[in-house]
Amino acid sequence: MTFVLFLASLLLAGAAGYALLARLGLDDFDAWAAGRTLGLVAVAYPAWWAGVLGLPGWRLVGIVLLLVLGLAGAVELWRRRAGWRAVVSAEAILAVGALAILIGRLDHPQIVGQEKPMDIGILATLLRSDGFPPADMWLAGERLPYYYWGALLWTTPLTVGGLRLEIAYNLIVALVAGAIAVSLWALGRRLGGSHWAGLTAAFFGVLAGTPDGWRQLLGGVGIRHLDIWRSSRQLEDAITEFPLFTEWLGDLHPHYLSMPIAVAALLVAWHLGRRQPTLAGTAVVTLLFGVAWAANPWCMPPTLAGVALLVLCADGRWHWPVGEGRWRWLAVATIAAGGWLAVAPFHLEFHPPFEGLRTVFAWTSPANLLLYGGCLLVPAFAAVAVMMRDRLAPGGGRGAALLLVAAALLVVASAVSGRPSAVLLTGALVVAVWAVLAPGEQPERAGLALAALGLFLFLVPELVYVVDSYGERLHRMNTVFKAWIQAWVLLAAALPVLLRIAFASRTVRRAVTAALVVAALPHPLWMAVSQVSDRRLGLDGMAWMTEGDRAVVRFLRGQPRDATVIEAVGGAYTEYARLSANSGVPALIGWENHELVWRGHGVTEETSRRAALVRELYSCGDPARVREIAVGEGIPLVAIGALERADFSEETLAAVRAAGEIALDEAGGQVVRIGSTAPVATEVDDG
């Protein structure tokens, strides 16, 4: 029943968003494709403001809005029931994308390792939050200094459904993939002019692997032993994730949760740019852009640029800020400023430790560039070559010769600079921008604009990087990751247009598309065959835990909203902090590394102090000292589970039990309640 309620709430959100977009003039295909994402935003946004303003029951606000807007949307669906085939088609695309990823994760649903404990921790703490920002699940007494908006969209359906979070987490991973797929399908259909174009964009944006899969196969690795992790680390000391890897990993990280919001914003922006922008359409794009920005600040520049490009050229012409073009530029400015204002409380509270931009001192070889994005970049380079030939010698016979001269210049520039990938991308980008800004009317202009933006994002980490706390050796790690994965989605949306420009013959175009699909197949095929094994299949994200730890998590989830807990501390990306992450009950200290990344070096003294107290509590062997620490820090609950038993002796753990009353004792999992304490409150220097 909980599963049915969860899905029903998502259908209501879809109906709500569909009605809003249909009123803006989107057809049934596009309105349903982006409707669920917009519906979730429309429900979460007023509820979030209620929480920001300190009004009680912000979740109730979300539930009421879901019911009211969803039922209104259902009425609109019935009124427009003649278009039911379009709605069913869009829902089928979403379902296929979601099911493909859901099936691909059945053999490894565990929410452990990498960033997944943090991801479920944010969801869990939002479900317990009494306001915003929510509590920091890994630094009791503090608010979460991280982007939570992508997870916030799912809190109302989770509250309505009551689905266990360890199951819901894996469903959300799949549903996000489905939402990206259906929005890319709609956008690709609009840019490319056919349903096949939409399917091409959806496949390459969500389900395609990288050519590195073939490199491994041709190197003698069997399909069952393909190393997708190696493909996601194509560059030394950098992350080269692609959408399929993120989906396989089950990483509900902000970069992934923001994707359907950003693509929905692009789709609505395309409609906005087809005619003179309207106030209502501008408002919807502004809201989607603002929420995407709050969900993942890394996606702000590309999403704003993509939205702006579509508003300025989706009708096939480039509009400068003169004449009627002024209204389009005004709409872009409104979206940019309004996007910040829409979620201003988030920006005023959130202070990322941004340390500026610097020039890179490492770069990407052409081979590694193509082993990552070859399925998208090869068509882009082919389209650029055709456009350059046609523009250098339109209708003449000198095009091929001039193209050879340009290629020779690129080779010379690559040799002189020692950075061939940067030269190649720069050349392609210049030609693409030239085509986008060219006078006259061309139906491919919007697709070319998104392709140019994608090429630019591939170029960025060849020139500059965002300074962070990971040091010189990993200086490009996050910049490559966040730029390339967004470039991937943009080029996937533009791929049908690039293929049409590069290959005029439909037969050749179909053959090339088929070859690209084959090049992208090893990773999804590996995911499929991996399900045929002796591994246990399922969706339980806590299946890796001992029964005792699971019992502790269930107990903690039932505690009052101001509850806090002490659990064993250990390194980031490990099993430590598992109880606070899966329950949402803040721990005295969780992953110290993440607090450092979130808050800066000013927090180190406090996190080190707390970690030392936790170790002392479990190892001192003195019930009086255990009580002193717990009461002094204002933490009423102390957990004893698998990691605590592994790290500390039974003698010292007996002292912990003796320090208070046993509130839970089940399957080896224990929770000790110590005295009467007030919630911890300390001043933390965020650097």
Side-chain angles (χ1 to χ4, degrees):
M1 187 60 182
T2 57
F3 178 72
V4 172
L5 287 173
F6 177 70
L7 292 185
S9 67
L10 292 176
L11 284 174
L12 283 174
Y18 165 86
L20 292 171
L21 293 174
R23 295 276 179 170
L24 290 181
L26 277 68
D27 69 7
D28 292 307
F29 286 109
D30 294 353
W32 191 261
R36 184 173 280 104
T37 298
L38 178 60
L40 289 171
V41 169
V43 167
Y45 184 68
W48 174 74
W49 267 105
V52 166
L53 296 173
L55 301 178
W58 66 268
R59 288 177 196 76
L60 181 60
V61 173
I63 294 171
V64 171
L65 281 169
L66 177 66
L67 293 173
V68 172
L69 295 178
L71 291 175
V75 171
E76 183 70 13
L77 266 172
W78 176 255
R79 192 178 69 82
R80 299 165 61 97
R81 61 189 178 277
W84 67 270
R85 287 184 177 84
V87 171
V88 171
S89 297
E91 188 68 7
I93 299 294
L94 185 148
V96 169
L99 282 173
I101 301 307
L102 196 67
I103 292 171
R105 279 196 48 75
L106 287 176
D107 69 325
H108 63 292
Q110 297 84 357
I111 308 168
V112 65
Q114 295 82 47
E115 301 284 6
K116 286 179 282 188
M118 183 195 77
D119 301 332
I120 195 172
I122 293 174
L123 269 172
T125 196
L126 283 168
L127 291 172
R128 298 176 56 83
S129 176
D130 55 2
F132 299 100
D136 186 340
M137 68 283 184
W138 286 340
L139 197 67
E142 299 297 328
R143 293 290 182 174
L144 183 69
Y146 196 63
Y147 6 112
Y148 56 84
W149 244 103
L152 180 64
L153 297 191
W154 299 90
T155 54
T156 297
L158 287 172
T159 302
V160 170
L163 196 62
R164 285 190 294 143
L165 190 55
E166 60 269 26
I167 302 292
Y169 180 100
N170 285 306
L171 290 175
I172 293 171
V173 170
L175 288 165
V176 170
I180 299 168
V182 72
S183 293
L184 277 175
W185 165 74
L187 183 59
R189 167 179 165 265
R190 286 301 186 179
L191 297 173
S194 70
H195 289 296
W196 281 108
L199 289 173
T200 300
F203 172 78
F204 282 95
V206 174
L207 298 178
T210 72
D212 184 66
W214 276 107
R215 181 195 63 79
Q216 294 185 41
L217 290 177
L218 295 175
V221 176
I223 187 67
R224 283 187 172 274
H225 302 288
L226 209 66
D227 187 355
I228 195 171
W229 186 268
R230 169 67 183 83
S231 301
S232 76
R233 301 298 185 270
Q234 193 67 52
L235 305 181
E236 185 178 0
D237 299 328
I239 298 172
T240 57
E241 282 196 24
F242 46 100
L244 183 68
F245 174 83
T246 299
E247 295 149 6
W248 167 82
L249 186 63
D251 191 358
L252 281 183
H253 213 50
H255 77 273
Y256 181 55
L257 289 170
S258 64
M259 281 184 189
I261 312 169
V263 179
L266 293 175
L267 176 60
V268 182
W270 182 90
H271 282 274
L272 194 64
R274 292 293 293 173
R275 58 186 72 87
Q276 196 71 1
T278 63
L279 184 60
T282 302
V284 169
V285 176
T286 299
L287 178 60
L288 287 169
F289 164 64
V291 169
W293 185 352
N296 176 23
W298 283 89
C299 86
M300 183 278 284
T303 304
L304 178 59
V307 163
L309 288 169
L310 292 175
V311 170
L312 295 175
C313 73
D315 65 347
R317 295 177 295 151
W318 178 260
H319 296 269
W320 294 105
V322 294
E324 66 95 14
R326 288 178 296 180
W327 296 106
R328 293 175 181 265
W329 284 80
L330 179 60
V332 170
T334 300
I335 291 166
W340 188 93
L341 291 171
V343 288
F346 169 82
H347 294 298
L348 293 173
E349 286 280 352
F350 176 59
H351 305 289
F354 177 69
E355 301 176 35
L357 299 174
R358 293 181 189 167
T359 55
V360 300
F361 43 89
W363 33 86
T364 309
S365 69
N368 279 328
L369 183 68
L370 294 177
L371 282 172
Y372 173 82
C375 293
L376 302 168
L377 287 171
V378 168
F381 294 147
V384 162
V386 170
M387 289 188 295
M388 186 163 64
R389 181 200 65 192
D390 293 346
R391 291 181 183 282
L392 288 174
R398 296 183 300 129
L402 291 172
L403 194 62
L404 287 174
V405 171
L409 290 175
L410 285 176
V411 170
V412 171
S414 298
V416 171
S417 67
R419 300 164 72 171
S421 292
V423 171
L424 182 61
L425 288 166
T426 300
L429 177 60
V430 169
V431 174
V433 170
W434 182 15
V436 170
L437 299 180
E441 185 169 346
Q442 52 175 322
E444 298 90 359
R445 194 184 300 267
L448 282 175
L450 293 186
L453 181 56
L455 290 170
F456 174 75
L457 289 174
F458 269 111
L459 176 62
V460 166
E462 303 304 308
L463 305 176
V464 297
Y465 69 98
V466 176
V467 181
D468 53 32
S469 61
Y470 289 105
E472 290 191 358
R473 187 174 68 85
L474 303 176
H475 73 287
R476 287 206 310 162
M477 181 180 72
N478 258 336
T479 307
V480 168
F481 174 20
K482 302 301 177 17
W484 281 18
I485 199 166
Q486 294 183 84
W488 183 294
V489 173
L490 289 166
L491 284 174
L495 183 59
V497 173
L498 297 172
L499 290 169
R500 192 168 65 206
I501 292 172
F503 308 102
S505 166
R506 178 176 294 183
T507 301
V508 173
R509 190 160 61 244
R510 287 176 174 174
V512 171
T513 303
L516 292 173
V517 170
V518 170
L521 275 182
H523 289 118
L525 285 177
W526 166 78
M527 285 179 63
V529 300
S530 294
Q531 306 310 310
V532 184
S533 69
D534 57 359
R535 288 191 295 269
R536 181 180 176 182
L537 305 181
L539 292 175
D540 185 354
M542 294 201 322
W544 64 276
M545 285 188 181
T546 65
E547 284 301 318
D549 282 359
R550 292 170 68 97
V552 172
V553 170
R554 288 193 298 268
F555 174 84
L556 291 175
R557 287 176 179 173
Q559 296 305 296
R561 298 193 190 282
D562 62 353
T564 50
V565 69
I566 293 174
E567 60 178 316
V569 294
Y573 311 111
T574 67
E575 296 177 5
Y576 288 95
R578 81 273 186 216
L579 304 177
S580 49
N582 283 275
S583 67
V585 173
L588 179 62
I589 182 64
W591 284 0
E592 294 178 75
N593 172 77
H594 281 54
E595 295 296 339
L596 169 65
V597 172
W598 295 343
R599 301 176 185 274
H601 292 282
V603 77
T604 303
E605 182 179 349
E606 175 63 14
T607 56
S608 298
R609 183 190 71 83
R610 294 189 182 201
L613 283 177
V614 170
R615 294 187 181 96
E616 182 182 357
L617 179 144
Y618 282 111
S619 63
C620 68
D622 180 1
R625 179 56 180 155
V626 171
R627 282 194 296 271
E628 181 183 356
I629 293 173
V631 172
E633 296 300 312
I635 308 293
L637 303 175
V638 180
I640 299 175
L643 291 180
E644 291 74 24
R645 295 182 189 280
D647 289 355
F648 303 100
S649 70
E650 183 57 34
E651 180 181 355
T652 60
L653 292 179
V656 174
R657 288 189 289 268
E661 63 171 319
I662 304 297
L664 172 77
D665 188 356
E666 182 179 338
Q670 296 176 317
V671 176
V672 181
R673 193 185 305 275
I674 299 178
S676 175
T677 60
V680 66
T682 57
E683 290 296 325
V684 171
D685 180 3
D686 286 348

